Amino acid sequence: MASHVSANNEADEARASGNELYKAGELLQAEIAYKKAASLAPEDPRPLSNLSAVRFELGDYKTAILFVNKAIALSGDGNGAAASQDKLYSRLAKCHLYCLDYASAENAISRIAGVTLQAELQGWSNSLKSLSSEFPDQNTFRKTVLDQFRRYKPALTDVAEYFAMGHDQMDPQTESFLGVSAQDSDLSFFFAGSGDGTNVFNAILNVTHKGSEARRKVSRMLHITALDMKPTAIARLLIFFDLIFHVGVQISAKRSKSAKVDHDGFVAIAYFFSCQIIPPFAAALIQGSIQGLIENLEAGGDGAEFTLVRDCDREAIVRVLRQWLEPCQGMSKPADVRAFLEEEYWPQKSLAPEEHHLSFAKKYGPGLTKALEEHRSSGKDEAMTQYLDSTWAVNNTMIDYDFARICEEYGERRSFPLLFHPLETAQHMAAFNPSAGPDSTAIEQLGAIFEALSYMILILVAEERLAIELILGEAADIMERMRYNLLERKQPTRKIGPQCHISYPMDYIGGHLTTFLIARPLLKEPGTVRFNNLLNPPEFANHETFQSEYLLLSDMDKISRHFSVTRRPGEITADDLKILPPEMVKMFNPFTYEDYMVWETTPNAIARRGRLLSKPELEKWIYGHLLKICLPYPRSISSGSPVHAPLNLAFLFSFFTRMFETGYPAHWITNILSSVCSGQITTSARPPRQRVTTPSDIDIKQPAVKFSVQPWVAEFTTLLSFWRRLLPFGADAAGGALVGLDKIAQYRISFASLFMKHDIVPHLSLLFWNPKYDLALLTSNYDDMRDGSGAVQIREQGMVCVTAFQYATQAKEASFWLREDVMEKMRKEKWQVCIWRTDTWTALARGVGVANALKCRTWTELF
């Protein structure tokens, strides 16, 4: 008897110790104490209840369910049993709801005696069940959400820039392609922002070359996905591969018959790839390829034998190909190109032909020989320019006709992406071929590179081991569709790798945050994601600052824990820059000269609780991103190194999903969602205090303060009403702040009086305001909005912001989704709406009455 009392006393002491540790947030230590108490008092339900609370708080809902059921089984009908059991059944119901197990949740809810608590949990369950039953096909629902919502704030111009020549280098990649996985597994590469295709060429040449170096046959299937948001870029890649394949087949046929082989076709491809103006034989070959591709695609083909084109992309690609059959207005003759380059790029630039250029000209441009000789002897260009103007042609594939048209309307000439030196481009590419003779021209050397590429492609095609998938779309959107198997494609795969290459400036897509959230889940392990920063490297002192700006994390260990990646060492140091002139080294930080950054995958498993952020730290991190989206720090619109803040509120839901997958409890995330929906958050995070966030900005300790996010509540609750169906856990209805999807509609509103120079900066929001408040309060008081001190009335009662909308440049029309009750209120009170720049904190034009907004359809009408 005494030993039994002693054991109970020890159990009570252990449990009391566990309670103190639990209150202090030391959950793992509390769990040890509770387990001790449970072992000492196996018939006592309280330690088991405590263990269920610990597991619940850690987000381990399945284990919490086991402990709850054990505690319930031991609970009796004594004094206070009903309240104790209500607490257990409530926890059990929440666990099941977070796990999306509605039937088990409702069974637990039915056993709760407290009417108010039962009704609250039943309402939560009913709302989740209703969403599931109304939209049973989650894939269709997710695809519709992705179709309707972009992740970035729009720009005034909805046609992106086009650069025919990219910045990627034709250098051997350092990845050991043959060693990344088992020899018999396929190789898959994903190139986002494919540009001129240089990285695609690299992958083919390196894989085949390394296989030959290893003296073994590479039997793997090589699958390459090349993605670009410009149909112009995809169309140009199709032409390139069509030419590479058919010219290679023709030469192979001649060789098989021992016939004389010339290399004119590959020289023509080199002209196509690198030159603004091209000789007649190259122009004829290119035009023939374009015409053939149009016929092929319209008949349901995919271009070359090894390329794949999605059906949904054909129309846009064919449209571009048809444009290239006709001259481009304003740039239709070689004289136009020359005048443009002389004005913009090459004033007083001499061609200075060498001796071997003359022999090249005799073969490929006989009429040019005399003109070149005259230029060498006298320095005069007249005969040469006359010849070029009368016989050569503009390489139309270097020009995006749509982008040129928009720029023309705004009186700008940057529509023509021709500002590069063709010979320098060819020489840089040709450097990949060290066997080229010293007397060959850069064009001939580049042609030799393409001949080698053609040879490798023909081998792979003959062995049915090559597929190059060309996809038109925005990188983050396409990758998210790939992750959920929602992408229309010829060869569906849900994983990419071993490499993902992001070859456009990260700043346009939200930097590391977008790359890690969207690309990392697709990568095979081991794998790498590679990208560089071309837009604004001088703005960052080092990698830590670069990471701080885009992730609001600088510590590599924390980054690895949350995104399952780690940066491969190899950054540029001051010692590496000694080869540069001292004035250049003084002018910029070493980070300015960084090339590709390589991030390697780490095991993608749920992190242990002790390795994650505490609840206050997680809230600060998420609220920091929220405030950065809502209140980005003002910045110049004419900077040579712009640092954008392009993400909108819709992007946050990918962030919430990743944090749950990382191991953060669903109820932590749900509490954050509810706080935002309430319009007021309490946080130690602050909106950005300067254009670039630094590690010290992240680490600074700030007191927690209340902060109003009321202007963004209407949009956030609209978005959450959709995303509840897609989140991997059962989010509650945020205290009744959400609405049914039949109460959300799409609207369009025209800004006919808006006039603005061509602008591709992604920093626009829609700002609705009650005209009884002075809009100048916002224009002149950014600090008040940021600090939550001034402009209180307009912020709390007279202002609604929408960050996730689409803008049609030609129609000058914005389209957006918003809850109907908010729109009706604004109509009745005669609110105004304008397009608002979040980079300069100014309106672009006078407001338009919300009454002018056209209601298009409700969400349920999409299904």
Side-chain angles (χ1 to χ4, degrees), residues 271 275-277 334 337-338 341-342 345-358 361 368-369 371-389 392 420-424 427 441-443:
Y271 271 114
C275 296
Q276 298 96 329
I277 61 173
V337 176
R338 185 172 59 257
L341 294 177
E342 287 175 350
Y345 190 51
W346 284 332
Q348 310 299 319
K349 187 77 171 181
S350 171
L351 291 176
E354 302 293 337
E355 184 67 36
H356 55 271
H357 293 155
L358 297 177
L368 185 58
T369 306
L372 283 172
E373 289 175 338
E374 179 182 327
H375 178 83
R376 287 193 72 199
S377 61
S378 66
K380 295 180 179 179
D381 295 338
E382 287 83 359
M384 185 165 53
T385 55
Q386 267 186 350
Y387 175 82
L388 294 175
D389 290 347
W392 283 41
F420 60 88
H421 195 307
L423 296 184
E424 289 177 357
Q427 287 166 355
T441 65
I443 290 293

Side-chain angles (χ1 to χ4, degrees), residues 257-273:
K257 298 176 182 178
S258 300
K260 182 180 179 181
V261 174
D262 61 54
H263 304 278
D264 295 4
F266 292 113
V267 170
I269 297 172
Y271 271 114
F272 158 78
F273 182 83

Side-chain angles (χ1 to χ4, degrees), residues 18 52 74-75 79 84 117 127 143 154 188 200 284 316 320 367 423 456 561 598 652 661 663 808 859:
S52 75
L74 293 175
S75 297
N79 186 34
S84 176
L117 178 59
S127 65
K143 183 179 182 300
S188 174
V200 178
V320 169
L423 296 184
M456 301 297 188
R561 280 183 255 151
V598 180
L652 284 177
E661 293 169 344
W859 183 261

Side-chain angles (χ1 to χ4, degrees), residues 223-452:
H223 186 281
I224 295 173
T225 300
L227 175 147
D228 205 286
M229 65 190 301
K230 297 292 298 183
T232 317
I234 299 298
R236 192 165 144 84
L237 278 176
L238 270 176
I239 296 171
F240 178 86
F241 287 122
D242 180 67
L243 291 172
I244 280 282
F245 182 71
H246 288 103
V247 170
V249 167
Q250 292 168 8
I251 287 184
S252 295
K254 289 182 179 180
R255 283 184 176 141
S256 67
K257 298 176 182 178
S258 300
K260 182 180 179 181
V261 174
D262 61 54
H263 304 278
D264 295 4
F266 292 113
V267 170
I269 297 172
Y271 271 114
F272 158 78
F273 182 83
S274 64
C275 296
Q276 298 96 329
I277 61 173
I278 51 180
F281 75 96
L285 188 66
I286 293 167
Q287 289 291 296
S289 174
I290 291 174
Q291 190 61 60
L293 282 170
I294 291 172
E295 295 172 2
N296 175 279
L297 293 171
E298 289 185 333
D302 293 290
E305 189 172 323
F306 55 92
T307 54
L308 300 169
V309 177
R310 301 189 305 161
D311 291 339
C312 59
D313 295 338
R314 291 177 191 280
E315 182 179 350
I317 296 170
V318 168
R319 179 174 173 274
V320 169
L321 292 171
R322 288 194 180 281
Q323 288 175 332
W324 284 339
L325 289 175
E326 302 295 332
C328 178
Q329 184 177 357
M331 201 63 68
S332 61
K333 303 174 183 177
D336 298 329
V337 176
R338 185 172 59 257
F340 176 74
L341 294 177
E342 287 175 350
E343 177 184 343
E344 301 287 337
Y345 190 51
W346 284 332
Q348 310 299 319
K349 187 77 171 181
S350 171
L351 291 176
E354 302 293 337
E355 184 67 36
H356 55 271
H357 293 155
L358 297 177
S359 60
F360 178 79
K362 288 177 182 178
K363 181 176 182 181
Y364 294 111
L368 185 58
T369 306
K370 184 177 179 181
L372 283 172
E373 289 175 338
E374 179 182 327
H375 178 83
R376 287 193 72 199
S377 61
S378 66
K380 295 180 179 179
D381 295 338
E382 287 83 359
M384 185 165 53
T385 55
Q386 267 186 350
Y387 175 82
L388 294 175
D389 290 347
S390 61
T391 59
W392 283 41
V394 175
N395 186 354
N396 293 338
T397 69
M398 294 279 182
I399 302 171
D400 183 316
Y401 287 32
D402 293 335
F403 189 70
R405 172 184 50 76
I406 288 179
C407 289
E408 181 74 18
E409 291 178 4
Y410 288 104
E412 297 187 10
R413 298 203 71 196
R414 63 173 168 158
S415 55
F416 304 112
L418 307 175
L419 300 180
F420 60 88
H421 195 307
L423 296 184
E424 289 177 357
T425 298
Q427 287 166 355
H428 177 73
M429 293 282 289
F432 188 76
N433 182 17
S435 63
D439 293 334
S440 59
T441 65
I443 290 293
E444 289 174 303
Q445 293 171 21
L446 182 55
I449 289 287
F450 290 151
E451 185 168 2

